[in-house]
Amino acid sequence: MQWDIVIGLEIHVQLATKTKIFSGSSTAFGAEPNTQANAVDLAMPGTLPVPNEQAFRYAVMFGLATNAEIGRRSMFERKNYFYPDLPKGYQTTQLAQPIVGPGHVDIDLADGSSKRVRIHHAHLEEDAGKSLHEDYHGMSGIDLNRAGTPLIEVVTEPDMNTAEEAVAFAKKLHSLVTSLGICDGDMSQGSMRFDVNISLKPKGSETLGTRTETKNLNSFRFMEQAIAHEVERQMDILEDGGTITQETRLYNGDRDESRSMRSKEEANDYRYFPCPDLLPVEIDDAFIEDARARLPELPDARKARFKEQYGLNDYDAGVLSGDARLATFFEETMAHGKDAKLAANWIQGEFSARLNAEEKSVAESPISGAQLGALVTRIADNTVSSAGAKKVFEALWSGENDNVDAIIEAQGLKQVSDTGALESMVDEVLAGMPDQVAQYQGEEDPKKRKKMLGGFMGPLMKASKGQGNPKLFNEILVRKLGG
Amino acid sequence: MHNKSVAELSRELESGKISSVELTQQFLDRLKQEDGKYNSFITISDEQALAEAKSADEMRSAGKATVWTGVPFAHKDIFCTNGVRTSCGSKMLENFVPPYDATVTEKFKAAGAVCLGKTNMDEFAMGSSNESSFFGAVTNPWGLSNGEKRVPGGSSGGSAAAVAARLVPAATGTDTGGSIRQPAALCSITGLKPTYGRVSRYGMIAFASSLDQGGPMARSAEDAALMMNVMAGFDPKDSTCIDRDVPDYTATLNEPLKGLRIGLPKEYFSDQLSPTMEAQVRNAVREYEKLGATVKDVSLPNANLAIAAYYVIAPAEASANLSRFDGVRYGYRCADPKDLMDMYTRTRAEGFGSEVKRRILVGSYALSAGYFDAYYLKAQKVRRLIQQDFINAFKEVDVLMSPVTPSPAFIQGEKTTDPVSMYLEDVFTIAINLAGIPAMSVPAGFVDGLPVGLQIIGDYFSEARLLNAAHQFQQVTDWHQREPQ
């Protein structure tokens, strides 16, 4: 049987405010447990929440960037449940009147088409703390540093039909919030967490099937795997004539397994009601216009500009504009390097590979855009070959030297581009290889000839001590050997 | 000294006849000697009190004294006090010592007042008789001479009994459905529940957040006004606190009452009210007529819905407010929990008393899926109707007057097995909290030797007018000066 896959996402985005949503504690990541939790965060008796204006501003900016209606009157509610890392015994969140109403985001797909994904709403809420299940003398530890960190939870309509679409949406959202500067986007630190709702229905059917929710996916790769895994699991059950249980599942990315966390019957009755400690918040035109004025260039506009300004192709422009920090890095590179295509190749190639290999973010890169730009300039003007450039890159990365020209000088990587000198080297080498020259000249097939040309390059590079410009060598060879 | 008002004690200190340390020691000695009869204090904080008295004397010699500097008083044990146990009348917080002050606590400290300790109260302010306290019932000083142990009312029963027994000249209270006014009435003292948002709730342990309001309990309107001068005002730590200028509440105490328009809500003079009580209240109203006020009957048509609406909204909010008492971070934790669920259930089963548990259950039920619309939302609609009743009434009159309670202080144990009859104690006070308006309880006579209170209800932020009306009444009557034997 053929199945349609229906996917909706809920995304928790930690807002990059300096302080928590209802208290003055710092939101910085990585501090000693419970050092960033004050009396309010600990839910000490009598303490009260005071809303953080910046969290509202960020939420409104998100709404504007996703073409959404802004909730002019939003209200906090209490979601009641007991858990040790939830200090008040309820989460302060929004339900009936969220800050961001219906909106949409357009995603680009690999086949060049684009698709609109509708956003049902996005609401403000507080994050919980963390339970540390390592052994504390037979007990669990509770770290409340994260408790009260502002989140927006973005809820999409079930508009995605493949894992590819879901991941494209997730990446687009990541790109949006990091471009807006409202989230640091560090998924490994939980700054963005994805819940995926998946259901299957017979191909073409109008009726949605029973869905499951897979919670807390914190990388695009796990998300893609988890969707594939869950689609397969549901398909197996349905094709064996079984039914899907509405439940919440946990996916273990390391083992590619999932297990049920709780079924609908076990679901909590959260007993939502308006939080009496917080008054409804009215958002006026001035606040919205102020937020609008703070909107930076968004990914779609940036992509269009990259194509226009730098002549990049659609793919390169998409990759380089998608991540706000990568985009900034690219533009820094371009400020010091002339060749956009070359810069794009280096950033997506060597640079990204090294970051990935060392699990570093763009911000943690030991190389600046300006340095890479200088290197690109030296490649473009033939000062170094691409093999030489890799050595320069290595020296920059290791911090051995921070100046591109100085490295080229010190390592003797400067190419010889003096045509006279190169020509005499070619003459000398060809004179020493008469058989190969004859063979080449006797060959009719241009492909084979091209390949045979490579046979002269080795000795030429050796003769030039690696400093001959390969491009020029090639030109001279072709000319001398007679096309 | 123990019979003097706050204003008088302040003048004694100012004259230099007595230091705050001496005064504080006298009050502490008397408190320890007398309170065995009333059980009005949960904690007497001698050390801190004497230290505060010493600083107060220094403040005075530095020329920085306020009216309150060096004057002893007490806090209801619902206000967090840095370094002094704050139990809220519960086993759950039996050993809880907050590392912070409530805003109200801070304000009294800044004024130089000397806190002698923390007064007894119904557990988590849930009760109208002070019998639900983990630290034992409080006995009303009135009626004791007949050998009767009567309730002081609740939940601020400890504060009321302590002020009535002259253990302190004044004490703070909180009022969610009548918890300042009802004990003030039953103990013959003066109490004010301010407009919701007038006094900060920060550090005041929450019962029902949309109804709770701290206020003064003293022997006279003048002393209540002095307390309001300290307590009232905007607090950035409480989002429901209102940013509005605070008047000097003593400045208008002596305004003449000529032309004051008084309304008597006919629903508050119903069958529920005993005839002898009614006679006392009407006598008090006649005093106002003598002072130049005019009186007319008014109607609050939805008054009969107040108790039902209150007993949905207050428990609903309480059910969430009390979730934080889970044994994880502070407060009581059951012994040897087997697992997380066992820790939660036994901690809460053992740490809360039965009235608190009853209200958590009622509130959780009212908020449950399938019941929310019928209970919580309906109650909120009723709340708006009740509020509108008062708004309409204040188009016609300046203040409303009524009894505070349907009957005088009852014998301990009389209503403990019948929660509904206990809830009816607040039949005349509860609607005021639902509307968020201010109201006072003023001593207005006795029935069979037991005090009767007059309730004066005003429009939003009319505390100064209420205190003025109460003060003028106290200039022509001496009910508030009567002392229990």
Side-chain angles (χ1 to χ4, degrees):
Chain A
M1 192 167 187
Q2 295 275 29
W3 300 93
D4 283 337
I5 302 164
V6 180
I7 303 171
L9 298 177
E10 291 168 24
I11 305 105
H12 287 92
V13 179
Q14 274 187 356
L15 297 178
T17 54
K18 289 194 175 65
T19 57
K20 293 186 177 177
I21 186 167
F22 299 124
S23 89
S25 300
S26 166
T27 54
F29 180 84
E32 281 292 299
N34 299 311
T35 55
Q36 287 175 180
N38 66 15
V40 176
D41 307 318
L42 292 168
M44 296 295 266
T47 58
L48 294 171
V50 176
N52 179 340
E53 186 179 335
Q54 187 71 348
F56 283 84
R57 185 169 293 115
Y58 283 173
V60 169
M61 285 168 69
F62 176 81
L64 294 173
T66 51
N67 317 290
E69 294 167 23
I70 303 301
R72 292 308 185 108
R73 183 187 163 89
S74 70
M75 191 172 71
F76 284 103
E77 308 205 25
R78 292 181 179 179
K79 179 183 183 181
N80 294 285
Y81 64 97
F82 285 100
Y83 204 70
D85 59 24
L86 185 74
K88 294 190 294 291
Y90 56 82
Q91 181 192 29
T92 308
T93 178
Q94 298 184 319
L95 182 72
Q97 296 179 30
I99 178 87
V100 177
H104 64 260
V105 166
D106 293 330
I107 54 172
D108 295 331
L109 301 172
D111 65 3
S113 66
S114 90
K115 178 169 185 171
R116 176 155 295 182
V117 175
R118 292 167 302 157
I119 291 176
H120 181 272
H121 78 272
H123 62 258
L124 273 169
E125 62 184 24
E126 58 183 343
D127 210 342
K130 280 181 189 164
S131 294
L132 309 167
H133 294 297
E134 300 94 66
D135 192 21
Y136 286 92
H137 313 285
M139 294 186 275
S140 287
I142 306 293
D143 177 7
L144 296 176
N145 284 351
R146 197 181 70 178
T149 298
L151 300 174
I152 46 173
E153 181 174 338
V154 183
V155 180
T156 77
E157 297 286 357
D159 285 353
M160 290 150 280
N161 301 103
T162 61
E164 183 211 348
E165 288 177 10
V167 171
F169 177 83
K171 285 186 171 165
K172 186 65 178 279
L173 205 71
H174 183 270
S175 159
L176 262 178
V177 297
T178 52
S179 299
L180 287 168
I182 63 171
C183 173
D184 66 19
D186 282 334
M187 297 178 59
S188 62
Q189 298 180 357
S191 294
M192 275 181 94
R193 312 192 291 270
F194 299 88
D195 300 344
V196 190
N197 287 294
I198 301 172
S199 67
L200 263 53
K201 61 184 174 68
K203 198 160 190 64
S205 163
E206 295 286 310
T207 326
L208 288 172
T210 304
R211 68 187 160 85
T212 63
E213 181 182 25
T214 304
K215 279 191 99 70
N216 265 333
L217 302 163
N218 65 354
S219 81
F220 299 127
R221 189 167 55 89
F222 280 168
M223 186 171 147
E224 192 164 12
Q225 288 172 5
I227 293 171
H229 174 91
E230 180 59 16
V231 166
E232 200 173 326
R233 193 189 68 88
Q234 289 193 17
M235 215 179 274
D236 286 349
I237 294 174
L238 292 170
E239 292 191 342
D240 288 347
T243 52
I244 304 300
T245 311
Q246 188 176 335
E247 63 185 354
T248 303
R249 300 185 67 83
L250 277 183
Y251 175 75
N252 182 329
D254 298 327
R255 295 191 197 162
D256 193 29
E257 290 174 351
S258 72
R259 64 176 171 85
S260 179
M261 202 167 111
R262 57 174 178 265
S263 72
K264 192 187 173 193
E265 288 72 35
E266 295 166 290
N268 285 309
D269 175 356
Y270 291 116
R271 306 189 307 279
Y272 282 95
F273 74 105
C275 179
D277 287 329
L278 293 161
L279 302 174
V281 174
E282 307 268 357
I283 302 285
D284 61 14
D285 290 343
F287 191 86
I288 293 176
E289 289 321 308
D290 172 73
R292 198 188 304 281
R294 292 166 193 261
L295 291 181
E297 185 182 39
L298 296 175
D300 286 347
R302 188 160 53 214
K303 180 177 171 184
R305 181 169 64 81
F306 278 12
K307 287 163 80 169
E308 167 78 28
Q309 184 178 343
Y310 301 114
L312 293 179
N313 64 31
D314 194 74
Y315 178 82
D316 288 347
V319 173
L320 294 174
S321 65
D323 182 297
R325 282 180 296 200
L326 197 62
T328 307
F329 189 87
F330 169 70
E331 297 214 74
E332 251 178 66
T333 305
M334 285 309 296
H336 296 85
K338 305 263 158 350
D339 192 320
K341 179 64 196 166
L342 207 51
N345 288 348
W346 270 84
I347 291 174
Q348 293 172 78
E350 198 69 18
F351 179 69
S352 294
R354 281 306 284 270
L355 288 180
N356 286 342
E358 298 185 15
E359 294 184 346
K360 282 193 163 87
S361 70
V362 177
E364 293 162 330
S365 159
I367 293 187
S368 71
Q371 288 173 324
L372 189 62
L375 179 56
V376 165
T377 300
R378 290 295 168 250
I379 303 167
D381 70 10
N382 287 322
T383 305
V384 286
S385 64
S386 59
K390 280 184 184 162
K391 292 182 182 161
V392 178
F393 183 89
E394 204 51 51
L396 289 171
W397 191 275
S398 67
E400 183 186 313
N401 195 321
D402 62 5
N403 185 289
V404 169
D405 288 338
I407 297 167
I408 293 171
E409 192 63 36
Q411 298 196 14
L413 296 173
K414 193 163 184 173
Q415 294 191 116
V416 176
S417 297
D418 169 352
T419 342
L422 295 179
E423 289 218 16
S424 54
M425 281 185 224
V426 172
D427 289 339
E428 217 169 291
V429 167
L430 291 185
M433 303 170 75
D435 293 353
Q436 286 89 333
V437 170
Q439 217 178 343
Y440 177 90
Q441 286 169 340
E443 179 57 58
E444 294 290 319
D445 186 346
K447 276 189 185 169
K448 286 187 180 163
R449 283 175 74 124
K450 202 173 174 188
K451 204 175 166 193
M452 290 163 75
L453 213 51
F456 300 107
M457 285 304 279
L460 277 171
M461 291 313 285
K462 197 173 170 188
S464 69
K465 295 181 187 127
Q467 293 175 7
N469 181 332
K471 211 169 130 204
L472 290 179
F473 269 142
N474 207 57
E475 281 171 26
I476 297 165
L477 271 175
V478 171
R479 183 155 42 81
K480 299 229 175 225
L481 292 165
Chain B
M1 287 288 170
H2 67 270
N3 246 326
K4 292 193 189 300
S5 69
V6 171
E8 287 162 348
L9 290 171
S10 185
R11 284 194 287 272
E12 294 287 331
L13 289 161
E14 182 60 32
S15 73
K17 279 184 221 159
I18 190 166
S19 71
S20 177
V21 171
E22 290 161 347
L23 185 67
T24 300
Q25 193 59 60
Q26 281 185 24
F27 268 93
L28 284 171
D29 291 346
R30 185 160 187 280
L31 173 55
K32 285 184 203 164
Q33 190 186 320
E34 294 285 311
D35 197 41
K37 285 185 273 187
Y38 317 113
N39 192 31
S40 68
F41 274 70
I42 291 173
T43 304
I44 298 172
S45 47
D46 320 43
E47 256 180 59
Q48 289 90 344
L50 288 166
E52 283 173 9
K54 192 161 171 280
S55 326
D57 286 332
E58 286 161 11
M59 215 170 141
R60 187 171 295 283
S61 21
K64 290 177 185 163
T66 74
V67 172
W68 276 96
T69 305
V71 177
F73 80 113
H75 276 303
K76 181 176 182 178
D77 206 16
I78 198 168
F79 288 99
C80 286
T81 41
N82 193 344
V84 175
R85 173 171 72 160
T86 302
S87 75
C88 220
S90 182
K91 178 180 180 180
M92 192 59 92
L93 294 176
E94 187 183 358
N95 298 309
F96 176 66
V97 179
Y100 51 94
D101 276 325
T103 297
V104 164
T105 312
E106 254 174 27
K107 286 178 172 233
F108 274 104
K109 279 187 181 170
V114 175
C115 179
L116 301 186
K118 312 294 293 290
T119 60
N120 204 341
M121 56 182 287
D122 279 301
E123 184 179 7
F124 286 106
M126 297 176 187
S128 307
S129 68
N130 222 303
E131 292 167 291
S132 76
S133 170
F134 173 69
F135 299 89
V138 175
T139 301
N140 193 328
W142 294 93
L144 259 181
S145 56
N146 302 332
E148 295 161 349
K149 292 186 104 178
R150 290 184 180 268
V151 303
S155 65
S156 312
S159 289
V163 172
R166 274 60 179 167
L167 302 181
V168 280
T172 54
T174 61
D175 190 317
T176 305
S179 281
I180 286 176
R181 290 159 290 155
Q182 185 252 13
L186 301 193
C187 293
S188 200
I189 67 163
T190 303
L192 165 65
K193 183 208 91 79
T195 305
Y196 183 79
R198 178 82 287 189
V199 172
S200 169
R201 294 187 297 113
Y202 187 84
M204 188 179 106
I205 299 176
F207 160 16
S209 313
S210 75
L211 301 160
D212 296 344
Q213 186 62 202
M217 301 180 80
R219 285 203 302 275
S220 66
E222 186 187 12
D223 283 359
L226 289 172
M227 291 185 81
M228 278 300 284
N229 280 351
V230 176
M231 296 175 81
F234 177 64
D235 177 10
K237 289 194 272 191
D238 175 0
S239 309
T240 62
C241 200
I242 293 163
D243 193 356
R244 185 183 164 120
D245 286 345
V246 180
D248 174 356
Y249 291 102
T250 59
T252 46
L253 290 175
N254 289 312
E255 298 284 310
L257 295 187
K258 189 162 172 51
L260 181 76
R261 296 172 302 164
I262 297 171
L264 302 182
K266 61 177 200 251
E267 293 79 6
Y268 285 13
F269 290 86
S270 63
D271 306 345
Q272 282 158 302
L273 179 62
S274 80
T276 46
M277 292 279 290
E278 180 169 351
Q280 289 300 316
V281 173
R282 292 202 183 270
N283 281 342
V285 173
R286 267 192 289 281
E287 289 294 336
Y288 277 98
E289 286 180 295
K290 288 186 211 161
L291 290 168
T294 60
V295 178
K296 69 186 280 191
D297 286 338
V298 295
S299 176
L300 302 170
N302 296 292
N304 63 326
L305 302 175
I307 292 235
Y310 177 90
Y311 277 99
V312 171
I313 293 167
E317 293 181 6
S319 71
N321 283 335
L322 271 60
S323 292
R324 65 188 59 196
F325 303 108
D326 56 5
V328 174
R329 297 168 311 286
Y330 51 78
Y332 179 77
R333 179 189 289 171
C334 69
D336 305 319
K338 284 200 300 288
D339 54 27
L340 181 63
M341 194 49 74
D342 183 48
M343 181 175 89
Y344 280 152
T345 51
R346 280 203 293 123
T347 293
R348 291 168 64 81
E350 294 164 16
F352 289 136
S354 60
E355 183 58 30
V356 171
K357 280 185 263 195
R358 177 163 26 243
R359 296 199 195 190
I360 290 173
L361 287 175
V362 168
S364 302
Y365 181 81
L367 292 175
S368 297
Y371 299 100
F372 180 79
D373 292 6
Y375 290 105
Y376 185 81
L377 281 188
K378 190 63 145 297
Q380 291 292 5
K381 284 178 192 159
V382 170
R383 183 173 186 172
R384 280 192 287 278
L385 294 176
I386 288 168
Q387 187 178 24
Q388 198 55 52
D389 280 357
F390 283 107
I391 290 170
N392 293 339
F394 289 123
K395 286 176 188 157
E396 294 180 49
V397 297
D398 300 315
V399 294
L400 299 169
M401 290 191 182
S402 78
V404 180
T405 59
S407 48
F410 50 92
I411 304 279
Q412 286 176 3
E414 211 170 78
K415 296 187 179 181
T416 38
T417 53
D418 184 359
V420 175
S421 81
M422 189 77 91
Y423 297 168
L424 288 172
E425 267 295 299
D426 298 326
V427 65
F428 303 137
T429 51
I430 255 174
I432 282 93
N433 298 79
L434 290 169
I437 52 178
M440 286 192 76
S441 175
V442 181
F446 292 85
V447 167
D448 302 327
L450 297 172
V452 174
L454 168 73
Q455 181 167 234
I456 315 176
I457 307 161
D459 206 347
Y460 297 97
F461 297 100
S462 66
E463 288 82 0
R465 172 176 271 171
L466 298 183
L467 289 161
N468 165 223
H471 182 70
Q472 289 306 303
F473 181 73
Q474 292 178 343
Q475 300 310 298
V476 295
T477 58
D478 69 350
W479 306 118
H480 64 294
Q481 289 168 344
R482 305 279 180 96
E483 207 178 336
Q485 295 307 307

